[in-house]
Amino acid sequence: MSAPMNMLRTSRRLSKFSSLLQNFKEEKNVLSIPTRCLSLQEYQSKKLMADNGVAVQKFVVCSSTDEAKSAARNLKVDEYVIKAQILAGGRGKGVFSNGFKGGVHLTKNPSDVENLVSSMLGQKLKTKQTTGEGVKVSKVMVAEALDIARETYFAIVLDRSHAGPVIIGSKHGGMDIEETAATDPDSIIKEPVDIVSSVTEQQCLSVAEKLGFQGSNLQTAADQIRRLYDLFVSVDATQVEINPFGETPDGRVVCFDAKINFDDNASFRQKEVFAMDDMAETDPREVEASRLKLNYIALEGSIGCLVNGAGLAMATMDIIKLHGGEPANFLDVGGGVSEQQVHDAFFLLMGDKHVKTILVNIFGGIVNCATVATGIIKASKKLHLDLPLVVRLEGNNVEEAKKILAESGLKILVADGFNEAARLSVESASKASL
């Protein structure tokens, strides 16, 4: 497999996997755990680019039919493209809950805009990438429809092997870049960038030339590449992908579509960017976990896991799978777990209708196991825990912790080892499901 192909796949995993877990692959009895990363709607990415001087189509966002009517009147374009805004691909072939087909429509008639927007707003759009009944559409983008004379692919990704950003491009845009890399690997451009000194003017011109831009558009494309790199750095992105990055028949260089991924660790200095996430399409369990400041990813199994440390959490889920069970979540409460964190984790797990058993698996390196045991007792009593509870503790002050659990009077299955804890939790969940 080519190096550019590897970089693209690694970059795309960054939007789905945490940095600690991205090297795991889904195999039999082994889980890869997706993390909740910031995902922006198409119009939000376009606004970020426009605010940074990147050329995009003119657009207006509508959340009501009155706004759609205003957009049709004020947006002076030859043709409109109306696009439902949800975090899923395949919108053009999607179907709405009212039977209306297509989340993307073109029209040259301003009077059609209001009706098209009205047919989408408030309806659930189901595509090949959505689940259940689809996703409710609360916003619709009305934008300038542009013809594309020529399409290229452009991206900036973080690459570990180069310890910094790498520009990736291809003359073949508007299609799956992985397919391009497989069928025509020589067409893939790779240009590492010095993270300290930044991208140079010569690099921008070289990439633009290799992408096939000519004449006055060569400098225009190079300027756009520079602006895209500046955007990449300024918002702490892990990926900026423009597909297609192209030219119109009248000679404009335009970023027609974009996907931007962000470093969640930079949220403290990217408050405006992260504030764009209204979490409307985020699992409610993950929203609640975020409020409680827990590292939590919702799954669909029946065994709620409370673990300290990402590695131990992964191993816990793997061994549950090995015994024939299914974890309900990834939940890492951190190395210094407190009584309050135990309470909050129990509160979260008990609110998940999928959970039939709770498994607590704690290694007391930094944390005192007795503190965890006390937290378990207090949380169980305060929250009136009625689910089977399996506890495995090991490490710092473990004997005192076991004594606290034994004298609590609660029905707690205390496991002597990792394997027994998983077995007991799977058995408990199976009985509870009968």
Side-chain angles (χ1 to χ4, degrees):
M1 185 180 297
S2 66
M5 185 69 168
N6 274 329
M7 279 186 282
L8 283 167
R9 288 187 172 175
T10 298
S11 174
R12 284 175 175 174
R13 288 192 190 104
L14 286 171
S15 65
K16 300 177 182 177
F17 301 93
S18 71
S19 59
L20 289 173
L21 308 177
Q22 65 182 352
N23 292 325
F24 286 87
K25 295 181 179 179
E26 188 167 348
E27 300 173 359
K28 185 177 181 181
N29 295 326
V30 179
L31 289 174
S32 291
I33 304 304
T35 185
R36 190 193 71 77
C37 293
L38 173 64
S39 296
L40 297 185
Q41 301 284 2
E42 180 184 2
Y43 77 90
Q44 294 173 316
S45 294
K46 280 186 174 356
K47 185 179 186 305
L48 267 183
M49 291 193 295
D51 289 346
N52 284 269
V54 177
V56 299
Q57 302 119 299
K58 292 185 288 186
F59 69 93
V60 176
V61 181
C62 306
S63 55
S64 69
T65 53
D66 286 342
E67 290 178 351
K69 187 185 299 184
S70 176
R73 183 173 59 250
N74 298 322
L75 194 62
K76 305 300 183 182
V77 297
D78 294 330
E79 187 174 17
Y80 305 87
V81 56
I82 292 87
K83 305 177 79 172
Q85 297 297 286
I86 64 171
L87 299 173
R91 288 173 292 173
K93 296 182 179 180
V95 179
F96 290 88
S97 51
N98 60 0
F100 185 66
K101 294 182 179 180
V104 179
H105 284 266
L106 292 167
T107 182
K108 294 183 178 181
N109 188 351
S111 62
D112 290 341
V113 173
E114 182 181 351
N115 289 334
L116 288 168
V117 172
S118 178
S119 298
M120 298 180 185
L121 281 176
Q123 305 296 322
K124 288 186 177 181
L125 177 58
K126 187 173 184 178
T127 78
K128 62 182 179 180
Q129 291 188 10
T130 59
T131 58
E133 297 178 350
V135 178
K136 185 177 180 179
V137 176
S138 60
K139 287 182 172 57
V140 176
M141 183 175 72
V142 179
E144 174 187 21
L146 294 174
D147 291 330
I148 304 176
R150 196 176 69 87
E151 299 177 303
T152 75
Y153 174 91
F154 177 86
I156 307 170
V157 301
L158 285 179
D159 179 49
R160 287 182 177 179
S161 63
H162 289 90
V166 174
I167 292 173
I168 297 174
S170 173
K171 289 183 178 181
H172 306 305
M175 59 185 294
D176 190 336
I177 191 61
E178 293 186 359
E179 180 181 338
T180 300
T183 58
D184 189 10
D186 292 337
S187 71
I188 302 296
I189 301 162
K190 181 181 67 172
E191 182 71 34
V193 178
D194 189 315
I195 190 66
V196 176
S197 61
S198 184
V199 68
T200 66
E201 178 66 15
Q202 185 54 47
Q203 283 180 305
C204 294
L205 284 168
S206 175
V207 171
E209 185 176 18
K210 290 175 181 177
L211 290 176
F213 291 96
Q214 300 176 352
S216 61
N217 274 1
L218 175 61
Q219 184 62 56
T220 301
D223 290 343
Q224 288 296 296
I225 290 170
R226 157 67 75 176
R227 292 174 188 270
L228 286 166
Y229 182 83
D230 289 343
L231 170 65
F232 176 86
V233 173
S234 68
V235 299
D236 286 295
T238 57
Q239 171 180 300
V240 171
E241 182 180 45
I242 312 297
N243 190 20
F245 177 49
E247 296 173 290
T248 64
D250 60 356
R252 294 165 60 184
V253 177
V254 179
C255 296
F256 288 91
D257 204 356
K259 178 179 180 181
I260 306 176
N261 294 336
F262 303 86
D263 181 358
D264 281 7
N265 294 311
S267 61
F268 71 96
R269 64 170 172 253
Q270 298 292 344
K271 296 186 185 302
E272 290 186 9
V273 173
F274 280 78
M276 294 181 183
D277 186 3
D278 62 7
M279 296 190 178
E281 295 183 39
T282 303
D283 189 307
R285 293 169 290 179
E286 295 180 14
V287 175
E288 180 64 10
S290 178
R291 184 185 71 82
L292 295 172
K293 302 187 184 306
L294 295 172
N295 300 314
Y296 174 91
I297 303 298
L299 301 173
E300 300 301 325
S302 60
I303 301 173
C305 303
L306 192 167
V307 189
N308 66 326
L312 184 58
M314 281 294 296
T316 300
M317 291 183 292
D318 284 347
I319 201 167
I320 286 173
K321 290 278 289 182
L322 184 65
H323 282 276
E326 293 290 341
N329 61 273
F330 168 93
L331 174 53
D332 166 24
V333 294
V337 55
S338 65
E339 289 185 15
Q340 183 60 46
Q341 284 177 305
V342 173
H343 172 275
D344 292 343
F346 271 42
F347 174 78
L348 184 66
L349 295 176
M350 288 175 64
D352 185 347
K353 64 181 181 180
H354 298 90
V355 172
K356 305 301 181 185
T357 294
I358 294 177
L359 168 58
V360 177
N361 188 13
I362 299 293
F363 176 75
I366 300 174
V367 69
N368 187 330
C369 287
T371 300
V372 176
T374 301
I376 290 172
I377 302 305
K378 290 182 177 180
S380 298
K381 291 180 177 179
K382 184 176 180 179
L383 297 172
H384 305 289
L385 179 67
D386 57 358
L387 295 171
L389 176 61
V390 179
V391 178
R392 179 256 182 173
L393 301 173
E394 193 61 68
N396 182 17
N397 209 12
V398 67
E399 295 305 321
E400 177 64 20
K402 289 181 177 180
K403 181 181 178 182
I404 292 172
L405 293 176
E407 295 176 351
S408 68
L410 299 177
K411 293 182 179 179
I412 299 174
L413 297 174
V414 180
D416 289 329
F418 200 170
N419 191 62
E420 183 183 13
R423 179 181 59 79
L424 288 173
S425 63
V426 172
E427 290 176 357
S428 297
S430 297
K431 291 177 182 178
S433 299
L434 295 177

Short mmCIF file of all heavy atoms in Angstrom, two decimals, residues 387-419:
data_model
loop_
_atom_site.label_atom_id
_atom_site.label_comp_id
_atom_site.label_asym_id
_atom_site.label_seq_id
_atom_site.Cartn_x
_atom_site.Cartn_y
_atom_site.Cartn_z
N LEU A 387 -29.28 -3.14 39.56
CA LEU A 387 -28.65 -3.97 38.53
C LEU A 387 -27.59 -4.86 39.17
O LEU A 387 -26.97 -4.48 40.17
CB LEU A 387 -27.98 -3.09 37.47
CG LEU A 387 -28.89 -2.21 36.62
CD1 LEU A 387 -28.04 -1.25 35.78
CD2 LEU A 387 -29.77 -3.06 35.71
N PRO A 388 -27.36 -6.06 38.62
CA PRO A 388 -26.25 -6.90 39.11
C PRO A 388 -24.93 -6.14 39.01
O PRO A 388 -24.70 -5.43 38.01
CB PRO A 388 -26.27 -8.10 38.17
CG PRO A 388 -27.66 -8.15 37.64
CD PRO A 388 -28.11 -6.73 37.53
N LEU A 389 -24.10 -6.25 40.03
CA LEU A 389 -22.84 -5.51 40.07
C LEU A 389 -21.68 -6.46 40.30
O LEU A 389 -21.65 -7.19 41.29
CB LEU A 389 -22.90 -4.45 41.18
CG LEU A 389 -21.63 -3.64 41.44
CD1 LEU A 389 -21.23 -2.85 40.20
CD2 LEU A 389 -21.84 -2.69 42.63
N VAL A 390 -20.74 -6.44 39.36
CA VAL A 390 -19.52 -7.25 39.47
C VAL A 390 -18.35 -6.30 39.66
O VAL A 390 -18.21 -5.31 38.93
CB VAL A 390 -19.30 -8.10 38.20
CG1 VAL A 390 -18.01 -8.92 38.32
CG2 VAL A 390 -20.50 -9.02 37.95
N VAL A 391 -17.51 -6.57 40.65
CA VAL A 391 -16.39 -5.68 40.96
C VAL A 391 -15.09 -6.45 40.99
O VAL A 391 -14.98 -7.49 41.66
CB VAL A 391 -16.59 -4.97 42.33
CG1 VAL A 391 -15.38 -4.09 42.65
CG2 VAL A 391 -17.86 -4.14 42.31
N ARG A 392 -14.12 -5.95 40.27
CA ARG A 392 -12.76 -6.49 40.35
C ARG A 392 -11.82 -5.34 40.67
O ARG A 392 -11.73 -4.37 39.93
CB ARG A 392 -12.37 -7.14 39.02
CG ARG A 392 -10.94 -7.71 39.01
CD ARG A 392 -9.98 -6.82 38.25
NE ARG A 392 -8.62 -7.36 38.19
CZ ARG A 392 -7.63 -6.84 37.47
NH1 ARG A 392 -7.84 -5.76 36.74
NH2 ARG A 392 -6.43 -7.38 37.48
N LEU A 393 -11.16 -5.44 41.82
CA LEU A 393 -10.20 -4.44 42.25
C LEU A 393 -8.84 -5.09 42.42
O LEU A 393 -8.74 -6.23 42.88
CB LEU A 393 -10.63 -3.80 43.57
CG LEU A 393 -12.00 -3.10 43.59
CD1 LEU A 393 -12.34 -2.68 45.02
CD2 LEU A 393 -11.99 -1.90 42.67
N GLU A 394 -7.80 -4.36 42.09
CA GLU A 394 -6.45 -4.90 42.25
C GLU A 394 -5.49 -3.74 42.47
O GLU A 394 -5.67 -2.66 41.90
CB GLU A 394 -6.03 -5.67 40.99
CG GLU A 394 -4.78 -6.53 41.17
CD GLU A 394 -4.96 -7.59 42.25
OE1 GLU A 394 -5.76 -8.52 42.04
OE2 GLU A 394 -4.31 -7.45 43.32
N GLY A 395 -4.49 -3.97 43.35
CA GLY A 395 -3.48 -2.95 43.53
C GLY A 395 -3.51 -2.30 44.90
O GLY A 395 -3.74 -2.96 45.93
N ASN A 396 -3.32 -1.00 44.93
CA ASN A 396 -3.15 -0.22 46.16
C ASN A 396 -4.32 -0.41 47.14
O ASN A 396 -5.45 -0.06 46.86
CB ASN A 396 -3.01 1.25 45.76
CG ASN A 396 -2.78 2.16 46.94
OD1 ASN A 396 -2.41 1.71 48.03
ND2 ASN A 396 -2.99 3.46 46.73
N ASN A 397 -4.02 -1.00 48.31
CA ASN A 397 -4.98 -1.16 49.41
C ASN A 397 -6.18 -2.03 49.01
O ASN A 397 -7.30 -1.80 49.47
CB ASN A 397 -5.47 0.21 49.89
CG ASN A 397 -5.85 0.21 51.36
OD1 ASN A 397 -5.56 -0.74 52.10
ND2 ASN A 397 -6.52 1.27 51.81
N VAL A 398 -5.92 -3.05 48.21
CA VAL A 398 -7.01 -3.88 47.71
C VAL A 398 -7.68 -4.70 48.80
O VAL A 398 -8.90 -4.92 48.77
CB VAL A 398 -6.52 -4.78 46.56
CG1 VAL A 398 -5.54 -5.84 47.05
CG2 VAL A 398 -7.71 -5.44 45.85
N GLU A 399 -6.93 -5.18 49.78
CA GLU A 399 -7.52 -6.01 50.83
C GLU A 399 -8.52 -5.21 51.67
O GLU A 399 -9.58 -5.70 52.04
CB GLU A 399 -6.42 -6.61 51.72
CG GLU A 399 -5.51 -7.59 50.99
CD GLU A 399 -6.30 -8.71 50.31
OE1 GLU A 399 -7.30 -9.18 50.90
OE2 GLU A 399 -5.91 -9.10 49.20
N GLU A 400 -8.17 -3.98 51.98
CA GLU A 400 -9.09 -3.11 52.72
C GLU A 400 -10.36 -2.86 51.88
O GLU A 400 -11.47 -2.83 52.40
CB GLU A 400 -8.40 -1.78 53.04
CG GLU A 400 -9.28 -0.75 53.73
CD GLU A 400 -9.76 -1.19 55.11
OE1 GLU A 400 -9.13 -2.10 55.70
OE2 GLU A 400 -10.77 -0.62 55.59
N ALA A 401 -10.16 -2.70 50.57
CA ALA A 401 -11.30 -2.46 49.67
C ALA A 401 -12.24 -3.65 49.65
O ALA A 401 -13.47 -3.49 49.71
CB ALA A 401 -10.78 -2.17 48.27
N LYS A 402 -11.70 -4.84 49.59
CA LYS A 402 -12.53 -6.05 49.58
C LYS A 402 -13.29 -6.19 50.90
O LYS A 402 -14.44 -6.65 50.90
CB LYS A 402 -11.66 -7.28 49.32
CG LYS A 402 -11.13 -7.38 47.89
CD LYS A 402 -10.30 -8.63 47.68
CE LYS A 402 -9.85 -8.75 46.23
NZ LYS A 402 -9.03 -9.97 46.00
N LYS A 403 -12.66 -5.79 51.98
CA LYS A 403 -13.32 -5.86 53.27
C LYS A 403 -14.51 -4.89 53.32
O LYS A 403 -15.60 -5.23 53.82
CB LYS A 403 -12.32 -5.51 54.38
CG LYS A 403 -12.91 -5.57 55.79
CD LYS A 403 -11.85 -5.19 56.83
CE LYS A 403 -12.46 -5.21 58.22
NZ LYS A 403 -11.47 -4.79 59.26
N ILE A 404 -14.32 -3.71 52.78
CA ILE A 404 -15.40 -2.72 52.74
C ILE A 404 -16.59 -3.24 51.93
O ILE A 404 -17.75 -3.12 52.35
CB ILE A 404 -14.89 -1.39 52.11
CG1 ILE A 404 -13.88 -0.73 53.05
CG2 ILE A 404 -16.04 -0.44 51.81
CD1 ILE A 404 -13.17 0.46 52.45
N LEU A 405 -16.31 -3.87 50.80
CA LEU A 405 -17.37 -4.42 49.96
C LEU A 405 -18.08 -5.58 50.66
O LEU A 405 -19.31 -5.68 50.63
CB LEU A 405 -16.79 -4.89 48.62
CG LEU A 405 -16.23 -3.81 47.69
CD1 LEU A 405 -15.60 -4.44 46.46
CD2 LEU A 405 -17.32 -2.82 47.29
N ALA A 406 -17.31 -6.43 51.32
CA ALA A 406 -17.88 -7.61 51.98
C ALA A 406 -18.78 -7.21 53.14
O ALA A 406 -19.78 -7.90 53.43
CB ALA A 406 -16.75 -8.52 52.48
N GLU A 407 -18.46 -6.12 53.82
CA GLU A 407 -19.23 -5.70 54.99
C GLU A 407 -20.35 -4.72 54.64
O GLU A 407 -21.04 -4.22 55.54
CB GLU A 407 -18.28 -5.05 56.01
CG GLU A 407 -17.26 -6.03 56.58
CD GLU A 407 -16.27 -5.36 57.52
OE1 GLU A 407 -16.29 -4.10 57.57
OE2 GLU A 407 -15.48 -6.07 58.17
N SER A 408 -20.54 -4.46 53.37
CA SER A 408 -21.52 -3.46 52.97
C SER A 408 -22.96 -3.96 53.06
O SER A 408 -23.90 -3.16 53.16
CB SER A 408 -21.25 -3.04 51.52
OG SER A 408 -21.52 -4.11 50.62
N GLY A 409 -23.14 -5.27 53.00
CA GLY A 409 -24.47 -5.83 53.00
C GLY A 409 -25.15 -5.79 51.64
O GLY A 409 -26.31 -6.21 51.49
N LEU A 410 -24.46 -5.29 50.65
CA LEU A 410 -25.00 -5.22 49.29
C LEU A 410 -24.67 -6.48 48.51
O LEU A 410 -23.67 -7.17 48.79
CB LEU A 410 -24.44 -4.00 48.56
CG LEU A 410 -24.76 -2.63 49.18
CD1 LEU A 410 -24.06 -1.53 48.38
CD2 LEU A 410 -26.26 -2.39 49.20
N LYS A 411 -25.50 -6.79 47.52
CA LYS A 411 -25.26 -7.96 46.67
C LYS A 411 -24.26 -7.59 45.58
O LYS A 411 -24.63 -7.18 44.48
CB LYS A 411 -26.57 -8.44 46.07
CG LYS A 411 -27.54 -9.00 47.11
CD LYS A 411 -28.81 -9.52 46.44
CE LYS A 411 -29.77 -10.10 47.48
NZ LYS A 411 -31.02 -10.59 46.85
N ILE A 412 -23.00 -7.74 45.92
CA ILE A 412 -21.92 -7.42 44.98
C ILE A 412 -21.11 -8.68 44.72
O ILE A 412 -20.67 -9.35 45.66
CB ILE A 412 -21.00 -6.32 45.55
CG1 ILE A 412 -21.81 -5.05 45.79
CG2 ILE A 412 -19.86 -6.03 44.58
CD1 ILE A 412 -21.01 -3.95 46.48
N LEU A 413 -20.92 -9.00 43.46
CA LEU A 413 -20.08 -10.14 43.08
C LEU A 413 -18.64 -9.64 42.98
O LEU A 413 -18.30 -8.90 42.05
CB LEU A 413 -20.55 -10.72 41.75
CG LEU A 413 -21.96 -11.30 41.72
CD1 LEU A 413 -22.34 -11.72 40.29
CD2 LEU A 413 -22.06 -12.51 42.65
N VAL A 414 -17.82 -10.02 43.94
CA VAL A 414 -16.42 -9.60 43.95
C VAL A 414 -15.59 -10.67 43.27
O VAL A 414 -15.53 -11.81 43.73
CB VAL A 414 -15.92 -9.35 45.39
CG1 VAL A 414 -14.46 -8.91 45.36
CG2 VAL A 414 -16.78 -8.29 46.07
N ALA A 415 -14.94 -10.29 42.18
CA ALA A 415 -14.15 -11.24 41.40
C ALA A 415 -12.69 -11.20 41.84
O ALA A 415 -12.16 -10.14 42.18
CB ALA A 415 -14.24 -10.91 39.92
N ASP A 416 -12.05 -12.37 41.83
CA ASP A 416 -10.65 -12.45 42.24
C ASP A 416 -9.69 -12.10 41.10
O ASP A 416 -8.52 -11.82 41.34
CB ASP A 416 -10.33 -13.86 42.75
CG ASP A 416 -10.98 -14.12 44.10
OD1 ASP A 416 -11.14 -13.16 44.86
OD2 ASP A 416 -11.34 -15.28 44.37
N GLY A 417 -10.16 -12.13 39.89
CA GLY A 417 -9.28 -11.84 38.76
C GLY A 417 -10.03 -11.24 37.59
O GLY A 417 -11.26 -11.19 37.57
N PHE A 418 -9.27 -10.81 36.62
CA PHE A 418 -9.79 -10.18 35.41
C PHE A 418 -10.73 -11.13 34.66
O PHE A 418 -11.86 -10.77 34.29
CB PHE A 418 -8.59 -9.81 34.54
CG PHE A 418 -8.86 -8.76 33.51
CD1 PHE A 418 -7.79 -8.19 32.81
CD2 PHE A 418 -10.14 -8.30 33.23
CE1 PHE A 418 -8.00 -7.21 31.86
CE2 PHE A 418 -10.35 -7.32 32.27
CZ PHE A 418 -9.29 -6.78 31.59
N ASN A 419 -10.28 -12.33 34.45
CA ASN A 419 -11.05 -13.31 33.68
C ASN A 419 -12.36 -13.66 34.38
O ASN A 419 -13.42 -13.73 33.76
CB ASN A 419 -10.22 -14.57 33.46
CG ASN A 419 -10.85 -15.52 32.46
OD1 ASN A 419 -11.02 -15.17 31.29
ND2 ASN A 419 -11.19 -16.72 32.89
#
